[in-house]
Amino acid sequence: MNIKHLITLFAFTAAGALQAQTVDVKDAWARATVQGQKASGAFMKLTAKQATRLVSVSSPVAGIVEVHEMKMEGDVMKMRAITGLDLPPGQTVELKPGGYHVMLLDLKTALRADQTIPVTLLFKNAQGQESRQELLVPVRAMGAAQGGHQGGHQGHGSKH
């Protein structure tokens, strides 16, 4: 392979890498569980450079991974799975306890504090192009520093 081919290959590779990184992910973490607990949450801040939608999340540590929202309906806080999450350009969307978050359901093993878990985010931009972002998300013990969503997701009642 000559130098011209190498430069062309590098240019296409770099362009693909830039396209794949259209969403900045910060402060990602997942909540630790106790033995036998089958659900946990993952949280992060997402900032898209252009109008983008988070369309799915996956992880080998869970049988089912969904994006959820929590919102007040009357005087009752309700949680439900959503089909996607819009990320307006330049605005940070925070996935946090008590709001939008990633649910890790049917956990295959307990999530221990100080370990990391692989999580894959699938995005789709306004032109319909998909991009994936692979993360290694740190697991943290439950604690007050992570917000007030301490009860976990017992009684979640998700239909699967």
Side-chain angles (χ1 to χ4, degrees), residues 4-137:
K4 187 175 179 181
H5 287 126
L6 284 173
I7 290 171
T8 302
L9 178 63
F10 175 76
F12 280 116
T13 304
L18 288 174
Q19 180 182 0
Q21 298 299 325
T22 59
V23 178
D24 185 35
V25 180
K26 292 192 185 263
D27 303 329
W29 62 280
R31 180 170 285 138
T33 62
V34 295
Q35 196 63 37
Q37 187 176 338
K38 290 297 185 185
S40 186
F43 314 96
M44 62 199 73
K45 295 176 184 171
L46 304 173
T47 308
K49 295 178 176 89
Q50 59 179 326
T52 304
R53 185 169 174 86
L54 174 61
V55 292
S56 73
V57 184
S58 61
S59 177
V61 303
I64 300 165
V65 183
E66 299 174 336
V67 178
H68 281 204
E69 73 172 340
M70 291 186 75
K71 66 179 185 176
M72 292 298 292
E73 290 184 10
D75 59 351
V76 177
M77 179 68 81
K78 299 259 184 165
M79 179 170 50
R80 67 179 178 98
I82 57 175
T83 58
L85 180 61
D86 290 325
L87 305 174
Q91 295 181 22
T92 299
V93 176
E94 187 172 4
L95 282 66
K96 61 184 179 181
Y100 292 114
H101 59 280
V102 173
M103 279 301 302
L104 303 163
L105 303 165
D106 193 21
L107 290 173
K108 297 175 181 178
T109 185
L111 303 182
R112 296 180 331 275
D114 300 325
Q115 78 177 112
T116 58
I117 59 170
V119 173
T120 302
L121 306 176
L122 178 63
F123 300 101
K124 189 179 283 190
N125 69 14
Q127 294 75 38
Q129 294 173 314
E130 291 186 346
S131 63
R132 292 185 192 283
Q133 198 155 349
E134 307 284 335
L135 307 173
L136 282 177
V137 176

